[in-house]
Amino acid sequence: MKYWSELYKPRFGQISLWILLLTSSYLVLETHLQFQYLPKGDNLSILGYVLPTSFWNSSLILPIGKVVFFISALSWALLPLWAKKQSEANEAKLVKALLFCVWMCVFSYFFVSCTYWENLPWVRHKFVLPFWLLTINALWYQFYAKEIVSAIRQKEFLNKEIYPGWTYGASVFFIAIFYTFSGISKILSAPDWGSGLSLQLWTVAFGDQNSLVAKLILTDRFYAKVMQSGVLYLECFSFLANFFAPLRLVIGLGLLSFHSAVDLVFNIKIPFESQKVLLLLYFLPWFRTKKKKQSKEKDGAIGEI
């Protein structure tokens, strides 16, 4: 985990940020107030404990939150384009404008998620991960705003080492911990969750009977138990992805297989798209933590990094 303290060229950081903003936008577009007419029950979000129930009954809060999010997200995504056109004298103002857009994007996403949750009969956990990853990327921009703006203005953004390794490391950490707690919560809710019985019952009730995976699950409890307990162990030990890169790849592929198997088995729509994207982005080895070393030639010239 030494890469946490290293600086890297921001190619992966910027591309992953664009993909994260697109993923978050997809989720924000999905939010609605279809169930707003229902009586409010327990609070499902942090803001639900702060703001009165009457606030969540307004039909304007979600559209306003969406507009703020899309404007700030677009401004953040297009920073490499509009920052180039600013003069050197405006660099300090540009840094302030950048940070305003960045944090407005994070908080508006948080607000939209809370508004959606407070008007739903259930919780959509898929909104959690993008919030934490947006926050981590916002912290990158917060601590390196001057360097980022300066590099963009000098047209050296992709060549400067201004992407801290902890941004990638913390992203992996939160994804891994999210899945680990998911596994632990299953055990706490039902100690025999991995027995295979509930999987068979779900498959009978909601499964596609023509699916080969569904047929295998229903053929024998043993196969159902192997699949269900395998997913349980995989989730519980996902935290190990923080420490071993090869294991991170195995865990990532395993979780992707799990999500894909769910899509193949069940007729009901279980929206794992955003989680699949984030697993592909952070658990597959796109980001190289080992930097090329400088090598001196005999004539004293320094080789390329």
Side-chain angles (χ1 to χ4, degrees):
M1 297 177 65
K2 291 182 179 180
Y3 65 88
W4 279 63
S5 59
E6 297 284 345
L7 288 174
Y8 299 86
K9 294 179 181 180
R11 186 179 301 275
F12 171 83
Q14 190 60 38
I15 293 174
S16 62
L17 173 61
W18 285 334
I19 295 174
L20 176 60
L21 288 172
L22 284 173
T23 303
S24 303
S25 298
Y26 168 77
L27 293 177
V28 169
L29 279 173
E30 188 182 288
T31 59
H32 56 77
L33 296 176
Q34 181 180 345
F35 302 102
Q36 192 177 45
Y37 68 93
L38 295 174
K40 300 295 185 288
D42 296 333
N43 293 318
L44 297 177
S45 67
I46 295 175
L47 289 183
Y49 290 95
V50 178
L51 298 173
T53 303
S54 58
F55 177 82
W56 304 111
N57 290 326
S58 172
S59 60
L60 296 176
I61 53 177
L62 187 61
I64 292 174
K66 285 185 175 183
V67 170
V68 174
F69 170 78
F70 285 122
I71 292 175
S72 56
L74 187 63
S75 300
W76 190 0
L78 297 180
L79 170 70
L81 297 179
W82 58 268
K84 290 181 181 179
K85 301 179 181 180
Q86 304 300 318
S87 63
E88 185 175 355
N90 293 330
E91 189 167 313
K93 293 182 180 179
L94 185 59
V95 169
K96 291 180 180 179
L98 164 64
L99 293 178
F100 177 80
C101 292
V102 166
W103 287 109
M104 189 57 66
C105 178
V106 175
F107 289 128
S108 58
Y109 177 87
F110 178 68
F111 177 79
V112 168
S113 301
C114 290
T115 303
Y116 186 42
W117 282 2
E118 291 301 324
N119 288 285
L120 271 183
W122 55 80
V123 174
R124 286 287 178 88
H125 298 94
K126 63 181 180 179
F127 284 83
V128 175
L129 276 181
F131 168 71
W132 286 113
L133 299 187
L134 283 172
T135 302
I136 293 166
N137 278 274
L139 289 172
W140 164 34
Y141 270 69
Q142 175 71 46
F143 294 128
Y144 290 87
K146 293 181 179 179
E147 292 84 349
I148 291 171
V149 170
S150 177
I152 290 173
R153 288 188 60 258
Q154 297 171 15
K155 299 181 180 179
E156 290 290 330
F157 178 63
L158 295 179
N159 297 321
K160 297 281 188 178
E161 293 186 345
I162 51 177
Y163 179 70
W166 56 259
T167 305
Y168 172 77
S171 299
V172 171
F173 172 81
F174 276 104
I175 295 173
I177 294 301
F178 174 84
Y179 278 100
T180 294
F181 277 116
S182 175
I184 293 174
S185 67
K186 289 180 176 66
I187 296 175
L188 294 177
S189 63
D192 63 341
W193 189 89
S195 66
L197 176 60
S198 59
L199 178 57
Q200 287 186 314
L201 293 175
W202 295 335
T203 304
V204 170
F206 308 110
D208 178 4
Q209 304 304 318
N210 295 320
S211 167
L212 293 177
V213 180
K215 289 179 179 179
L216 186 62
I217 291 171
L218 297 175
T219 298
D220 194 303
R221 175 77 61 81
F222 172 77
Y223 298 126
K225 183 176 182 179
V226 169
M227 292 182 189
Q228 196 171 20
S229 59
V231 168
L232 185 62
Y233 284 120
L234 183 64
E235 287 189 330
C236 288
F237 289 99
S238 290
F239 71 93
L240 295 175
N242 291 295
F243 307 105
F244 309 103
L247 193 55
R248 184 184 310 145
L249 174 61
V250 173
I251 291 172
L253 292 175
L255 292 171
L256 284 168
S257 300
F258 156 59
H259 290 315
S260 299
V262 170
D263 292 337
L264 291 173
V265 172
F266 297 105
N267 288 317
I268 56 174
K269 178 176 172 56
I270 302 179
F272 286 135
E273 291 87 355
S274 60
Q275 290 168 236
K276 290 179 185 177
V277 170
L278 297 178
L279 284 169
L280 283 168
L281 188 58
Y282 289 101
F283 275 51
L284 269 61
W286 309 114
F287 179 65
R288 303 294 182 182
T289 57
K290 292 184 178 180
K291 299 161 67 175
K292 294 180 181 180
K293 297 180 179 179
Q294 291 183 338
S295 58
K296 290 187 176 181
E297 302 295 336
K298 292 183 179 180
D299 59 358
I302 300 179
E304 292 183 354
I305 298 179

